[in-house]
Amino acid sequence: MYTQGLDVQASEPTAPVDEGSLERRFLARVDAEEKIEPKDWMPDRYRSTLVRQISQHAHSEIVGMLPEGNWITRAPTLLRKSILIAKVQDEGGHGAYLYSAAETLGVSRDQMIEQLLCGKAKYSSIFNYPTPTWADVGAIGWLVDGAAIMNQIPLCRCSYGPYARAMVRICREESFHQRQGYDLMLQLCRGTPEQKRMAQDALDRWWWPALMMFGPPDAESMHSTDSQRWKIKRFSNDELRQKFVDFTVPQARFLGLTPPDSKLQWNEAAQRHEFGPIDWNEFNQVLKGNGPCNAERLAERRAAHAEGEWVREAAMAHAEKQRHRRASAAA
Amino acid sequence: MSAAAMRVVDTDLFSYVLRLGDLGLVLGQRLGEWVGHAPAIEEDLGMANVALDLIGQARLFLGYAGEIEGRGRDEDAIAFLREQGEYLNPTLAEQPNGDFGQTVVRQVLIDAYQLELYERLISSTDERLAAIAAKAVKETRYHLRYSGGWLVRLGDGTQESRSRVQGALGRLWPYTAELFVEDDVDRAMQDRGVGPRLAEVHKAWSSRIGALLSEATLDRPADRPYSWFGKHGQHSEHLGYLLAEMQYLQRAHPGARW
Amino acid sequence: MEDKHQWPLYEVFIRARGGLDHKHAGSLHAADASMAIEHARDLYTRRQEGVSIWVVRSTDVTASDPADADSLFEPAKDKVYRHPTFYDIPEEVKTL
């Protein structure tokens, strides 16, 4: 249940709690692949880790509506326009599912949004890059959604019930996102020389940021070990990144495009692609707020929120009036 | 003389269908601007839903128009490559979004119009129009529920919300006159049983809007004569900017496929 | 910048097709029940996954306490005679 009625007091006084045994029982349940639900006992750090992770994920979906949303009015055909609107609509929906899942852990959507808008909460660095061309819409679908899917499928089996269920719903919708992106790129690559150049240029700009989406190298990742113990995170950053490269390089080849990595090559013995070093300095700068579009993205979200205040207020005022009218009518 | 040159095009029907399609196209384009900027995530989804429906309707109407014309233009050629004066949407549709209240007012006025139109087009002698209308009428009923619901909440919400939507209503009302002015094309369609009498549509629309405004505790503005005439390609300044943005890629890459 | 006009939370239940039960789909925020239905429609049925929607204010849902799971649900476990498989009906007897 996603219910927030979580403050129900037990009817009898409970015996003093032995945290150690509660934690052992909790870990046993997780090990046995049982789902943890909102009202179950959980370690405080499990709860706070999930709130952080789920809300970051939700923020990413909402901010992610902007770089693609800005091409809706310029989409080159009515079908592409429709597809793009549907995709961005899905992303808003994903944000909503995720905020709901996070709310089951005792935080309100408003609190989470406040954290985002004041710059405290993080969201996926990828959405701080600009989308100057139509090909970027394709690159985002192909690469960014592709990377997201790789991260998200394991989360469908995460230990926390509401998050796992939201992820199942999201993954079902996400594969359309990647396919429409790849299809868009395919059309460009089969088109005019200008279109093909546009596609290569987009790949050149999105390749490395997509690889960075999997997070820092395992050795440097702060939150990993607990997350893996609690089955919130099921594969390491490097494992997923490698898998992504191995899937995506042949896809690029089929398009007739070349990833911008001179060190990229197939390792026959290890059966995987070796790839060049990632600029983690860029990643950290973007995460800190110094990416090309961080300021713009947040400014747009703040503006939308501020300009919508009178609307949200009016809706509540009207609901209140209706309540009074019904009460008076009944009296 | 070639067979193509001998072919007589039903120009009245072509114009009539274009008008229906362009309304959806232009209004859908306007709603597309909201995505990612709505007052709440749920309204991003709500407006995107209406936009998708309107663009879907536009595709059906414009595709049909292309067939009537018989020069090989598909829905995109018609949507993206005409000159401003060839777009036949009512000027109300191209008015800017303004704030959420203005968008809601514009939407209600047009949703009620489309609903009355589509309900009557279901029995059109033109089978294709009847079929499109049968599908579109269900979508439009939901659109009006959505926009009408918001009109009531904002009109009967706070002082500020009422003042904003009353202001928007005052600004947009003058564009409603144009919706119901008949021309030769409308009369030809009526004679053939293709389209309804606009006087009838007006009466029904007026009654529906009147009830909604009343529920929203809003004052109905006085009628004013129209200044533009979209169905003859006479548009406000806003359409030019809208089209420049919409047409950009197709114009920049002539002949390219997407 | 705290928003004082937070819309309350609603739980959403959808009947995907005729003949099925309503299933919990998740939650959403809305100012009133009618808006909640519209939001649920736009959020949970974009891919034709619904013929009927129920929305309930989250605060109106009463949930059983997981701590009581033992006393609420265990006693049912040993009353196996409630299950048809408990009974060994001779093969000769049809339609039972």
Side-chain angles (χ1 to χ4, degrees), chain A residues 10 77 105 108 192 197 201 241 286:
Chain A
T77 69
L105 290 160
S108 77
T192 66
R197 264 199 295 279
D201 170 68
R241 189 178 0 254
V286 172

Side-chain angles (χ1 to χ4, degrees), chain B:
Chain B
M1 214 193 292
S2 69
M6 289 292 293
R7 206 175 156 287
V8 174
V9 179
D10 189 345
T11 50
D12 284 343
L13 185 62
F14 177 70
S15 293
Y16 191 74
V17 174
L18 222 53
R19 291 168 184 183
L20 294 168
D22 285 343
L23 174 49
L25 176 66
V26 171
L27 189 56
Q29 177 77 0
R30 278 296 187 216
L31 288 175
E33 294 168 22
W34 269 107
V35 181
H37 303 97
I41 304 170
E42 289 84 0
E43 305 323 314
D44 280 305
L45 267 60
M47 289 199 282
N49 169 67
V50 180
L52 277 172
D53 286 345
L54 289 172
I55 291 169
Q57 290 170 22
R59 294 181 64 199
L60 293 174
F61 286 124
L62 298 184
Y64 183 33
E67 288 168 37
I68 295 166
E69 186 190 46
R71 279 173 33 202
R73 286 203 285 179
D74 68 2
E75 68 194 38
D76 290 322
I78 295 184
F80 290 89
L81 298 174
R82 281 176 289 160
E83 291 304 309
Q84 182 177 307
E86 296 174 283
Y87 286 83
L88 305 183
N89 57 283
T91 335
L92 178 57
E94 74 210 34
Q95 297 312 303
N97 286 333
D99 66 7
F100 186 70
Q102 177 155 314
T103 291
V104 165
V105 169
R106 183 189 61 201
Q107 197 61 43
V108 168
L109 296 173
I110 293 179
D111 286 339
Y113 175 66
Q114 284 188 317
L115 187 54
E116 297 305 335
L117 212 52
Y118 291 151
E119 278 181 346
R120 288 162 179 77
L121 282 173
I122 289 176
S123 46
S124 172
T125 54
D126 183 302
E127 281 174 12
R128 190 74 162 268
L129 281 185
I132 298 174
K135 174 178 188 288
V137 78
K138 292 181 203 161
E139 295 171 346
T140 310
R141 269 189 207 119
Y142 186 77
H143 298 171
L144 187 57
R145 174 192 162 141
Y146 179 74
S147 61
W150 270 110
L151 188 74
V152 170
R153 286 184 199 105
L154 298 180
D156 191 20
T158 60
Q159 290 272 55
E160 177 177 9
S161 68
R162 175 186 285 128
S163 148
R164 284 183 185 242
V165 287
Q166 187 69 67
L169 196 54
R171 284 189 298 279
L172 295 178
W173 195 261
Y175 296 95
T176 58
E178 187 192 328
L179 296 173
F180 308 105
V181 177
E182 279 184 355
D183 69 352
D184 289 339
V185 169
D186 293 308
R187 281 184 281 273
M189 291 299 108
Q190 284 158 38
D191 290 341
R192 288 158 60 173
V194 170
R197 295 197 58 235
L198 284 181
E200 226 186 271
V201 173
H202 192 183
K203 199 151 165 278
W205 174 91
S206 189
S207 161
R208 224 184 244 285
I209 291 292
L212 257 176
L213 289 182
S214 182
E215 197 187 340
T217 70
L218 295 168
D219 299 322
R220 185 185 182 123
D223 286 336
R224 284 200 9 220
Y226 61 91
S227 309
W228 292 269
F229 206 32
K231 59 171 70 165
H232 286 187
Q234 293 157 14
H235 293 279
S236 68
E237 289 182 348
H238 299 292
L239 188 63
Y241 292 102
L242 183 153
L243 292 178
E245 199 175 344
M246 192 180 84
Q247 296 187 352
Y248 157 69
L249 270 178
Q250 285 248 4
R251 297 282 188 194
H253 301 262
R257 298 179 62 77
W258 302 93

Side-chain angles (χ1 to χ4, degrees), chain C residues 2-91:
Chain C
E2 213 209 274
D3 196 328
K4 297 171 274 305
H5 314 296
Q6 184 177 196
W7 292 345
L9 198 61
Y10 284 79
E11 302 300 328
V12 178
F13 301 81
I14 312 262
R15 193 203 307 282
R17 279 188 312 283
L20 298 178
D21 290 326
H22 281 78
K23 210 166 89 105
H24 184 239
S27 58
L28 51 79
H29 289 271
D32 55 57
S34 176
M35 193 196 285
I37 296 272
E38 284 154 27
H39 286 172
R41 182 242 197 219
D42 289 333
L43 192 55
Y44 290 110
T45 70
R46 286 198 301 282
R47 288 165 166 85
Q48 298 181 302
E49 312 107 302
V51 301
S52 168
I53 298 173
W54 287 349
V55 294
V56 180
R57 287 282 295 261
S58 303
T59 48
D60 285 339
V61 174
T62 305
S64 62
D65 191 333
D68 294 340
D70 282 356
S71 60
L72 277 176
F73 304 116
E74 279 277 345
K77 273 204 195 142
D78 68 353
K79 296 183 175 61
V80 292
Y81 45 76
R82 288 208 170 105
H83 294 269
T85 48
F86 179 73
Y87 300 94
D88 231 343
I89 307 291
E91 280 197 21

